[in-house]
Amino acid sequence: MAYKSILVHLKGHARDVQTLAIACNIARRFDSHLTAIFAPDQAASPMAGALDPAAVAAMRLAMDYDRQLKEKTKLLVQAVESRENRPIAWDALTDDVLNGFVQRARSADLIVMTQEDPSPRFMFAPSHVANVLLNAGRPLLIVPFAGDFATCGESVLVGWSATRESARALSDAIPLMQNARVVHLVSFNNAKNGDADTGFELDVGRWMARHDLKVNFRQQTSKDVDVGNQMLSLAAELESDLIVMGGYGRPRSVEFFLGGVTKTLLDTMTVPVLMSH
């Protein structure tokens, strides 16, 4: 298994440097075709001026700002392309950015994106990451908004539950885990219900062994601290450089309803996270 087509999402932010570096490292490892797509948070809409003449000046400023971000991002991609001595395809979306990026994402093996800026945002601003996670149907590798990550996939922590999303995420992460130094798979039991996932070690162990993967299994009880924060604490304890888990939620127009663990990881991740829905 290998990722032969990787799509990296760039927004003209300083964090693009780290996200593009991780995407390039993975592309080099698998000799993948890498495409960088500039898709800003909110592209200026020409309709704004038609609907409200007073918005014309603001619309022009927004469009100029997007153009500046696009040129800045293109220069970054060209510099990395030259340094890496390997081609990086380039494209930019300026209209219907959210849906346009999802359409492009559906024809890639892996999507690489940056965690949304955790600083307060306009409450109804759509999330690129949530939109791609819930609608693209492809594995999504999310790079934290802060921190430097020299490696991604050497020490892997997999959050397991007996769900479709969890099985998808584990399957989608197999290429990244095949050169891992260690893979830890943890299943969380509810302290009140005692709902242990019995038998998962045997079934999943056989599955992973067929991919030449040796997995360390552990059961953990979820008590007062929610599972998402337990995952982050365990990742720090095990010095993991990648978390793998199912992404839970359901799309509804531009509003997103995310499961508690998914939201916790998306909001407070400390290492890259690979999610599949």
Side-chain angles (χ1 to χ4, degrees):
M1 295 179 66
Y3 305 125
K4 285 302 181 182
S5 177
I6 298 175
L7 189 65
V8 58
H9 173 239
L10 305 175
K11 299 194 287 188
H13 296 177
R15 197 60 187 166
D16 285 352
V17 175
Q18 177 74 65
T19 301
L20 183 56
I22 287 179
C24 283
N25 287 341
I26 298 172
R28 187 188 314 112
R29 174 175 162 185
F30 295 103
D31 193 24
S32 311
H33 181 274
L34 178 61
T35 300
I37 293 188
F38 170 75
D41 283 324
Q42 290 189 354
S45 170
M47 289 299 295
L51 295 174
D52 182 4
V56 171
M59 181 194 72
R60 287 176 177 166
L61 285 174
M63 292 178 69
D64 286 343
Y65 181 64
D66 280 350
R67 275 194 291 269
Q68 292 172 21
L69 289 180
K70 183 176 75 171
E71 289 307 311
K72 172 185 172 183
T73 305
K74 187 174 183 179
L75 290 174
L76 168 65
V77 171
Q78 289 173 341
V80 172
E81 184 179 42
S82 176
R83 185 176 69 243
E84 294 284 324
N85 194 29
R86 61 181 299 119
I88 303 175
W90 161 260
D91 201 358
L93 302 177
T94 55
D95 185 39
D96 195 13
V97 171
L98 285 172
N99 292 328
F101 188 81
V102 164
Q103 291 298 325
R104 295 292 299 273
R106 286 176 179 152
S107 58
D109 293 322
L110 179 69
I111 316 303
V112 184
M113 302 183 75
T114 308
Q115 175 195 18
E116 301 285 359
D117 186 345
S119 60
R121 302 164 62 239
F122 181 58
M123 65 181 297
F124 295 116
S127 163
H128 276 290
V129 170
N131 190 46
V132 172
L133 173 64
L134 298 180
N135 292 296
R138 309 304 304 138
L140 174 60
L141 178 64
I142 309 149
V143 180
F145 193 80
D148 294 321
F149 306 98
T151 63
C152 179
E154 289 190 2
S155 175
V156 182
L157 174 62
V158 180
W160 174 261
S161 61
T163 61
R164 175 182 64 84
E165 290 85 353
S166 188
R168 275 287 309 276
L170 182 54
S171 178
D172 289 337
I174 286 173
L176 275 179
M177 297 190 298
Q178 284 180 324
N179 286 339
R181 174 174 44 83
V182 60
V183 177
H184 299 280
L185 191 149
V186 58
S187 176
F188 289 90
N189 306 325
N190 187 287
K192 295 180 180 179
N193 301 329
D195 55 349
D197 183 10
T198 56
F200 85 101
E201 293 187 22
L202 183 60
D203 292 338
V204 176
R206 285 172 175 167
W207 176 22
M208 293 297 101
R210 291 179 183 124
H211 289 282
D212 298 320
L213 287 169
K214 187 176 184 338
V215 178
N216 298 324
F217 293 94
R218 62 193 296 167
Q219 294 267 1
Q220 191 149 323
T221 302
S222 56
K223 299 179 181 177
D224 295 332
V225 180
D226 66 87
V227 171
N229 282 313
Q230 284 195 60
M231 283 281 290
L232 293 172
S233 296
L234 193 56
E237 176 188 330
L238 298 172
E239 298 183 341
S240 301
D241 62 2
L242 175 66
I243 292 174
V244 174
M245 60 171 283
Y248 304 87
R250 57 190 176 88
R252 179 183 171 186
S253 65
V254 294
E255 299 176 68
F256 299 96
F257 296 84
L258 299 171
V261 179
T262 303
K263 189 173 189 310
T264 297
L265 267 292
L266 289 180
D267 288 347
T268 60
M269 65 177 62
T270 51
V271 297
V273 177
L274 187 144
M275 286 186 178
S276 294
H277 175 64

